[in-house]
Amino acid sequence: LAISIVGLFGAMKHHQVWLFVYMVVLFLIFIIQFSVSCAALGVSKETEIKLVEEGWKQLQQNGENQIILTAEKTFNCCGLNGDNSTKVECEKLDCYKDDTCSPCLNVIQGKLGSAFATVGGLGLFFSLTELIGGVIACRYRNLIDPTNSGIGAAGGAAGGL
């Protein structure tokens, strides 16, 4: 929000320094957002699986079984990959009673892959709009300020003759 105000102020007042600061900060935000978007789009399936397994293991080691149970209820699954060491109170789940519970790894990995693709695509879209905004600010910065150009004050080119 603050950088938007800087850009708006610079554009309204034709202030060269404020517009330059706006362009530089916008370009830095573009680089960061573009990099993160490309990284999100480039995450491999193996990395996604490793992230889920490490997160599940950390939750079990820290005794955060309530979070794991909430994930199992949400995704209607039991345990991470089918073995008994990753199951947390599966008896409370509806799918356990019906014997239709699948391992959570497949379900979570599908959702995680979709989330990475969505976040990466949206980030890429908005980073490119930031780049366009920076280019427009650069072009606007190089325009002549009509209030300080001297053309309007002298009454035109032939006004002094």
Side-chain angles (χ1 to χ4, degrees), residues 47-90:
T47 306
E48 291 175 7
I49 291 171
K50 193 182 296 184
L51 283 172
V52 172
E53 288 174 344
E54 287 297 318
W56 197 280
K57 188 189 315 179
Q58 286 294 322
L59 287 172
Q60 281 187 320
Q61 288 175 354
N62 295 335
E64 300 287 341
N65 291 338
Q66 189 60 36
I67 296 173
I68 294 174
L69 183 61
T70 303
E72 289 176 337
K73 285 180 182 177
T74 302
F75 296 118
N76 202 25
C77 58
C78 182
L80 184 61
N81 49 11
D83 63 352
N84 289 333
S85 65
T86 60
K87 293 182 179 179
V88 176
E89 301 179 24
C90 289

Side-chain angles (χ1 to χ4, degrees), residues 101-129:
C101 285
S102 61
C104 292
L105 183 62
N106 298 334
V107 179
I108 292 175
Q109 186 205 2
K111 301 282 185 190
L112 191 61
S114 173
F116 272 130
T118 303
V119 167
L122 282 173
L124 200 59
F125 172 75
F126 284 111
S127 69
L128 293 176
T129 59

